[in-house]
Amino acid sequence: QVQLVESGGGLVQPGGSLRLSCAASGITFSTYTMGWYRQAPGNQRELVADITSSSSTNYVDSVKGRFTISRDNAKNTVYLQMNSLKPEDTAVYYCNAKHRIFVRMDFWGKGTLVTVSS
C-alpha cells in the first residue's frame, strides 16, 4: 500500500538542470522526513538531501549550492531541483520516507536514473 514513485530522471548535458519528483501514497506524509539518495556504479548509496517535517534541510557537501530539496505536503510530494549538473552526479536517485518518530517505518522508491553526459 505504501508507494513512493520517482519521476523526472533522464539524460542531461553537463551544466544542465533536472527536477526530480517523488509522489508518496499510503503514509501520513507530513509525519515523515523525506530524502533523496543516490547510488552510482561501484559506490555506496549516499544521502544527497533530506527535509524534515519542520522543513529543515540537509545536503551532502558535493551538491550544496546546486541542489534544492523541497516538499509540498498538500500534494504528498518531495522534489529535488538539480542545477549545474556534473558528470559525477550520474546515478540512480532514490526517494526515501522515514517516520519522524517511529524510524523503523522506512520506505523506498524504485529509483530514477540521472545521466549527465555530453
Side-chain angles (χ1 to χ4, degrees):
Q1 188 169 355
V2 176
Q3 192 170 187
L4 303 177
V5 180
E6 301 100 334
S7 61
L11 176 64
V12 65
Q13 292 182 301
S17 297
L18 286 173
R19 189 178 76 157
L20 305 183
S21 299
C22 172
S25 59
I27 62 171
T28 304
F29 184 80
S30 62
T31 67
Y32 281 74
T33 294
M34 302 300 299
W36 287 98
Y37 292 71
R38 68 186 180 188
Q39 188 165 24
N43 291 349
Q44 294 184 322
R45 188 174 298 187
E46 68 172 348
L47 174 67
V48 179
D50 62 16
I51 181 166
T52 69
S53 59
S54 61
S55 296
S56 295
T57 59
N58 177 57
Y59 300 90
V60 67
D61 285 346
S62 60
V63 310
K64 287 180 179 177
R66 300 189 297 121
F67 291 11
T68 303
I69 190 170
S70 61
R71 66 192 295 159
D72 186 340
N73 288 347
K75 296 182 178 179
N76 288 177
T77 300
V78 63
Y79 305 94
L80 186 68
Q81 178 67 46
M82 304 186 294
N83 298 327
S84 302
L85 282 160
K86 304 174 180 179
E88 50 263 46
D89 296 317
T90 296
V92 177
Y93 284 71
Y94 297 90
C95 181
N96 172 258
K98 187 184 298 291
H99 197 277
R100 65 183 181 183
I101 297 171
F102 304 106
V103 295
R104 297 171 93 94
M105 302 296 290
D106 189 7
F107 305 101
W108 293 89
K110 294 181 179 180
T112 186
L113 177 63
V114 172
T115 302
V116 185
S117 180
S118 57

